[in-house]
Amino acid sequence: MKNRNQGMKRALPLSSLTLLATIGLSACSPVKEYRRPEVQLPAAYPGPESAGKEMATVPYRQFFADPDLVELIDSAVASNHDLLIAMKNIDYAGKSLDVAKLWFLPAVDFSATESYSRASENSSAASKGQERTSRSYTAELNVSWEADIWAKLRNSKKAAVAGYLRSTEAARAVRTTLVSNVAQGYWNLRMLDEQIEIARRNIALAETTLTMMRLQFDAGNVTSLAVDQQESQLLSAQLTLPKLEASRTAQENALSILAGRMPGTPVKRSRGAAPFVMPDGLGAGVPLALLSNRPDVRAAEASLMEAHAMTGVTRAMMYPSLTVTAQGGLNAIESSKWFSTPGSLFDAIQGSLTQPIFRHGQLKAQYEQSKIRRDQAELTFRQTLLNAVGEVSNALVQVEKTGDEEKIAAGRVAALRKAAGNSRLLFQSGMATYLEVIAADSSLLQSELDLADVQRRRLSAIADLYRAVGGGWRE
């Protein structure tokens, strides 16, 4: 078989190629193995103490005790469209990884051809219509294998593995956010239920007070101004109800969408503002744990690993490539003798060493660009880690401060309930004015609504803390 390589691709003995590759390998240093950049993390989060078992390691089914909430989260994890899209990205990256695993194997091609040619033997024969014909039958198997001298294939596989890990961690990050959003939405829905019940109780109370004042007016104990102002107070209490009901409907629809359901589907939930009890002995842990618990930090590091591996690929493209090609098959001029062995057998083996010389600076530019991408990925990793520490610290402060707010708001509600009851008794005995009764009722309504909102914000802060430390993606 003739050698068809041209230009810089020359057929050389394999021993010579090996010698050249060894010389080139000693002259060139490959890209170093990936090492995680050194990051300076504090020993503890700024703000409140967060000692205890890492809550990120606790599955959401154990962290959230409400069975209705757990059922809703299960539905969201199984059917949420954003999460399903992220899972498809994992499948896509998995296919690329499967291909990368096979790059080390030789490429094998098979071909079968039949050629036919016709030509005149001489000019005089051509005038008489005499012609010579020839046929050729060939079945050929080609095997080509590239030696991974400069770790181009190994780094390509590392990049594919890192890409797969990145897509996996990105899906986990979607899941942690989803779990937190469902928990926040569920607790918000329950607080809206509670606020609607508060509004209805205050409407009934305002109606009772209005009836009492009308009786007082008929007895000549109060003026019509008192009745008019109480009617205004009643309308003010009624005005809050449709707003709260509209908000509840919107929250139910939002939860249905998160769970992959059609909006309008009822959301099963228990009634009442039962307080959330944090499992005993749980804390945010230490900032260093974010490297293993928080998916977006892990995804950022996987992107850095991928970029680092690609610098090795682009660098190897500037060096010689050693390819070994083997051919073998059957060739005959008659089909009946095609499988007549060994006469019809042929084989050939050759090695080629290809060195890029001038590509308009493209290979060098690609390598420099890959190093820039690697630096960008490292900066992104560091920024993601900084943001994660800040989010955990903020969430810890929110949990602590909303807990303080809840205690104060609960005490205020208790005091105003007592004041509202006393104001009615005093009014009936003529020792308080109707304005004092209206003011007490108005303050009580607002304080109860405020307490429900503080409870909602505290629960939302707990769910956000669980997400910030990387909880929610473990089964």
Side-chain angles (χ1 to χ4, degrees):
M1 296 294 290
K2 294 183 178 181
N3 176 40
R4 298 182 177 87
N5 295 304
Q6 297 178 354
M8 290 302 298
K9 185 181 291 185
R10 302 289 301 277
L12 295 173
L14 290 181
S15 58
S16 300
L17 292 174
T18 304
L19 176 61
L20 289 174
T22 303
I23 296 173
L25 182 60
S26 62
C28 305
S29 57
V31 175
K32 295 180 180 179
E33 289 294 323
Y34 168 80
R35 292 183 61 183
R36 176 183 291 166
E38 293 185 4
V39 289
Q40 299 296 329
L41 291 173
Y45 292 105
E49 289 291 332
S50 57
K53 179 184 177 182
E54 296 175 9
M55 64 174 64
T57 62
V58 179
Y60 67 82
R61 292 186 181 89
Q62 299 177 18
F63 187 79
F64 301 110
D66 191 328
D68 294 329
L69 173 56
V70 172
E71 181 181 350
L72 187 62
I73 294 176
D74 285 340
S75 178
V77 169
S79 304
N80 179 264
H81 289 84
D82 290 333
L83 185 55
L84 292 177
I85 292 172
M87 297 301 293
K88 288 297 181 181
N89 289 335
I90 296 177
D91 295 339
Y92 184 88
K95 297 302 179 183
S96 300
L97 180 57
D98 292 340
V99 173
K101 292 177 179 178
L102 301 177
W103 283 339
F104 295 94
L105 301 179
V108 181
D109 296 308
F110 174 78
S111 62
T113 59
E114 174 189 1
S115 62
Y116 171 79
S117 63
R118 182 175 59 184
S120 300
E121 295 184 357
N122 52 55
S123 59
S124 59
S127 61
K128 297 179 181 180
Q130 296 178 356
E131 297 178 333
R132 177 174 59 85
T133 62
S134 63
R135 295 177 182 271
S136 177
Y137 302 91
T138 303
E140 170 176 28
L141 189 68
N142 297 303
V143 180
S144 178
W145 177 75
E146 180 180 355
D148 192 26
I149 301 175
W150 318 114
K152 181 174 66 175
L153 300 181
R154 278 173 285 171
N155 282 314
S156 297
K157 181 180 178 181
K158 289 178 182 178
V161 171
Y164 178 78
L165 293 176
R166 173 172 47 79
S167 62
T168 301
E169 297 301 336
R172 288 174 174 174
V174 172
R175 177 166 170 166
T176 59
T177 302
L178 176 64
V179 170
S180 176
N181 289 343
V182 171
Q184 291 176 337
Y186 176 81
W187 285 328
N188 187 41
L189 184 59
R190 289 190 57 180
M191 290 306 106
L192 286 169
D193 288 339
E194 179 66 16
Q195 288 180 326
I196 287 172
E197 291 300 320
I198 291 170
R200 287 173 177 169
R201 288 199 305 267
N202 278 275
I203 289 172
L205 183 60
E207 288 174 344
T208 300
T209 303
L210 178 59
T211 300
M212 179 184 65
M213 286 191 174
R214 282 173 176 167
L215 293 175
Q216 292 285 343
F217 173 75
D218 293 338
N221 295 329
V222 297
T223 63
S224 60
L225 179 60
V227 176
D228 294 339
Q229 288 190 331
Q230 182 58 32
E231 286 181 347
S232 176
Q233 177 68 18
L234 173 60
L235 293 173
S236 179
Q238 291 174 336
L239 185 62
T240 62
L241 190 58
K243 294 180 181 179
L244 292 171
E245 290 176 337
S247 297
R248 181 172 66 178
T249 300
Q251 184 61 75
E252 277 191 302
N253 289 338
L255 281 172
S256 295
I257 293 173
L258 284 176
R261 304 171 182 171
M262 188 62 65
T265 305
V267 176
K268 182 182 177 183
R269 59 193 182 276
S270 54
R271 297 290 178 175
F276 173 80
V277 179
M278 184 86 73
D280 294 335
L282 290 186
V286 296
L288 188 62
L290 293 174
L291 293 170
S292 58
N293 290 332
R294 184 151 162 158
D296 61 336
V297 173
R298 291 158 60 103
E301 185 175 13
S303 295
L304 173 57
M305 295 168 62
E306 182 179 17
H308 182 84
M310 288 306 299
T311 61
V313 175
T314 55
R315 183 169 183 173
M317 291 174 64
M318 298 189 296
Y319 299 151
S321 61
L322 173 62
T323 304
V324 179
T325 303
Q327 296 176 315
L330 302 170
N331 179 264
I333 59 175
E334 297 181 13
S335 59
S336 60
K337 297 181 179 180
W338 197 0
F339 297 100
S340 177
T341 57
S344 62
L345 288 174
F346 73 92
D347 63 87
I349 183 170
Q350 65 179 8
S352 62
L353 188 67
T354 305
Q355 168 64 56
I357 295 180
F358 181 66
R359 296 281 184 88
H360 305 282
Q362 292 179 350
L363 297 180
K364 178 66 174 178
Q366 289 175 0
Y367 174 57
E368 295 298 330
Q369 288 174 337
S370 68
K371 291 197 295 183
I372 294 173
R373 292 293 186 191
R374 196 261 178 214
D375 293 340
Q376 290 176 327
E378 180 176 343
L379 292 172
T380 300
F381 167 67
R382 293 181 181 276
Q383 185 63 41
T384 303
L385 191 55
L386 289 177
N387 292 338
V389 174
E391 288 179 5
V392 175
S393 178
N394 293 339
L396 283 168
V397 172
Q398 284 295 319
V399 171
E400 181 186 47
K401 298 307 179 183
T402 51
D404 295 340
E405 285 185 63
E406 184 177 1
K407 294 177 183 178
I408 296 171
R412 181 168 178 259
V413 167
L416 287 174
R417 281 176 181 169
K418 183 177 179 180
N422 290 336
S423 67
R424 286 180 176 78
L425 295 175
L426 293 172
F427 178 76
Q428 291 175 354
S429 61
M431 299 178 65
T433 66
Y434 68 91
L435 292 176
E436 292 174 317
V437 175
I438 294 174
D441 288 346
S442 178
S443 297
L444 176 60
L445 171 61
Q446 189 59 48
S447 67
E448 289 179 331
L449 294 176
D450 289 344
L451 175 59
D453 185 66
V454 169
Q455 290 172 336
R456 178 194 62 79
R457 288 192 289 112
R458 177 179 172 273
L459 294 174
S460 178
I462 291 173
D464 194 49
L465 175 61
Y466 186 54
R467 176 204 61 81
V469 297
W473 60 267
R474 289 180 171 85
E475 295 292 341

